[in-house]
Amino acid sequence: MIIDCHGHYTSEPPEHHAFRKTQLEFVEGMRDAMPVYPGITDEMLRATIEQNQLRLQRERGTDLTILSPRASGMGHHIGSAENNAEWSRISNDLIARIVEMFPANFAGVCQLPQSMSGDLKPVLAELERCVLELGFVGCNLNPDPSGGFWSAPPIHDSYWYPLFEKMVELQVPAMIHVSGSCSSCLHTTGAHYINADTAVFMQLIQGDLFSAFPGLRLIIPHGGGAAPYHWGRYRGLAMMLDRPGLAEHLMRNVFFDSCVYHQAGIDTLFRVVGPANIVFGSELLGAVKAIDPETGFAFDDTRRYVDALSLGEVERHAVFEGNARKVYPRLDARLKAQGR
């Protein structure tokens, strides 16, 4: 079985985006009344999925995608806490409907209603709702709700502890994933995403998060940002900060996905980090929707890069299925209930 741990619903009906636009206009005082969310039919949802994510699943030979709302659309740096809570509920409900339509193909991961206010109460409530009522298996956690200004405390800070306590209680991991960039200096997918992945890895080195939460699991996407390609730097910094080695300090709890869009990058990721800490992912449908002229295949068809490695059967199973079932125990239980 091939599980893709990193999928986004980026083929939403245009009515969904139109609502968000008018919702923000109301918050900014440009409208007199809060808009009402339009009726999006099952037929509309089915068409967007069958023509996009489901089609690519079949073409690329993957079996199940862990699906979450569009990351850049979370928009934690805009709107209000109340506004973002409503937007998260709406976005997560769409994911739940898709999973209900295609239970063999998708599992849900939720957007958290983070905001510049920093209030975690609505975050905890929405996480609990999504896991216990909608059957979601994880969440996306934005370490920088300010959209590039890094106003939130580092990920190891006690500010985040209520969320981590709830995640451990519910047995769900978080994928570290920022939203849109509000800085013209930081391209959202080409800079802001990768910067955040790298920054969080360093924050984890600086702190001692997993001593407080040994059962916590975090996935750093996009191949871990720059971390695997500067592994010596981070090993050395851990020593200078009087931290344990990376294997002991972080790598029992931290996993990277395989959303790296060329063979040399995948080769380095696997050589440095190793299959035990890599979960297959493609970012379906994500940052780069183009054909690589050097290969003739889509940049984000990441299975091809993993297949090209000389992995043994045990390692291959771990990357494509076993690690995901370990990191997402609720997914494992769901698959077993389906006889898979």
Side-chain angles (χ1 to χ4, degrees):
M1 183 177 188
I2 297 181
I3 300 170
D4 186 340
C5 77
H6 191 166
H8 294 297
Y9 184 35
T10 55
S11 53
E12 316 96 316
E15 292 85 351
H16 183 68
H17 296 289
F19 169 80
R20 177 59 166 169
K21 180 177 182 293
T22 55
Q23 185 192 48
L24 293 173
E25 288 173 352
F26 170 77
V27 173
E28 295 167 2
M30 299 169 61
R31 290 179 175 267
D32 295 330
M34 177 68 77
V36 176
Y37 189 70
I40 293 179
T41 66
D42 286 353
E43 289 73 20
M44 293 166 67
L45 287 182
R46 185 180 300 276
T48 64
I49 288 294
E50 288 183 339
Q51 295 167 17
N52 293 283
Q53 288 85 354
L54 197 59
R55 174 181 61 82
L56 290 175
Q57 270 190 1
R58 292 165 176 162
E59 290 178 1
R60 298 177 183 181
T62 60
D63 299 298
L64 181 141
T65 300
I66 298 176
L67 189 69
S68 64
R70 179 190 295 262
S72 62
M74 295 188 295
H76 297 136
H77 58 290
I78 50 180
S80 64
E82 181 181 9
N83 168 249
N84 287 353
E86 180 187 24
W87 177 238
S88 292
R89 285 192 299 271
I90 288 169
S91 299
N92 291 331
D93 285 346
L94 284 189
I95 299 298
R97 290 172 61 189
I98 292 167
V99 172
E100 187 176 8
M101 288 180 194
F102 303 99
N105 299 97
F106 300 101
V109 158
C110 65
Q111 165 182 324
L112 296 176
Q114 297 175 250
S115 69
M116 288 292 288
S117 77
D119 186 1
L120 290 181
K121 289 180 182 178
V123 171
L124 303 181
E126 180 64 5
L127 176 62
E128 193 164 60
R129 181 185 82 93
C130 286
V131 173
L132 299 183
E133 297 180 22
L134 303 184
F136 283 23
V137 300
C139 62
N140 285 345
L141 170 59
N142 186 349
D144 174 30
S146 68
F149 291 103
W150 289 93
S151 60
I155 204 71
H156 59 75
D157 190 88
S158 60
Y159 160 81
W160 299 101
Y161 279 20
L163 175 58
F164 296 148
E165 288 169 358
K166 180 61 67 174
M167 287 169 54
V168 172
E169 174 192 329
L170 296 173
Q171 292 188 297
V172 294
M175 176 172 283
I176 300 296
H177 211 308
V178 290
S179 185
S181 168
C182 58
S183 170
S184 61
C185 297
L186 297 175
H187 185 278
T188 293
T189 55
H192 184 43
Y193 283 13
I194 308 304
N195 292 354
D197 303 333
T198 309
V200 166
F201 189 74
M202 187 63 216
Q203 290 175 10
L204 291 170
I205 291 174
Q206 291 174 281
D208 199 14
L209 179 61
F210 301 119
S211 291
F213 298 98
L216 183 66
R217 299 291 183 269
L218 300 177
I219 303 97
I220 300 182
H222 319 114
Y229 317 100
H230 294 277
W231 204 249
R233 176 182 293 260
Y234 294 114
R235 287 177 54 233
L237 287 169
M239 293 172 58
M240 293 172 64
L241 292 169
D242 199 27
R243 296 301 187 191
L246 298 183
E248 177 186 352
H249 190 39
L250 302 185
M251 301 312 289
R252 288 178 290 200
N253 303 79
V254 175
F255 297 81
F256 298 159
D257 75 12
S258 64
C259 293
V260 178
Y261 293 161
H262 65 139
Q263 189 65 53
I266 287 287
D267 294 347
T268 301
L269 174 65
F270 273 78
R271 185 167 64 250
V272 173
V273 175
N277 286 87
I278 298 172
V279 186
F280 174 71
S282 72
E283 223 169 340
L284 184 76
L285 287 155
V288 181
K289 304 179 186 72
I291 302 298
D292 185 347
E294 294 181 4
T295 67
F297 298 105
F299 281 98
D300 61 358
D301 187 359
T302 55
R303 180 183 169 180
R304 293 181 178 276
Y305 310 135
V306 178
D307 282 342
L309 300 170
S310 299
L311 296 180
E313 190 55 40
V314 172
E315 294 174 326
R316 177 182 167 82
H317 176 268
V319 172
F320 279 130
E321 178 180 355
N323 291 343
R325 297 181 81 133
K326 177 174 67 174
V327 174
Y328 295 86
R330 285 183 175 269
L331 173 65
D332 182 51
R334 186 171 178 270
L335 292 173
K336 286 177 178 175
Q338 294 176 344
R340 303 164 79 183

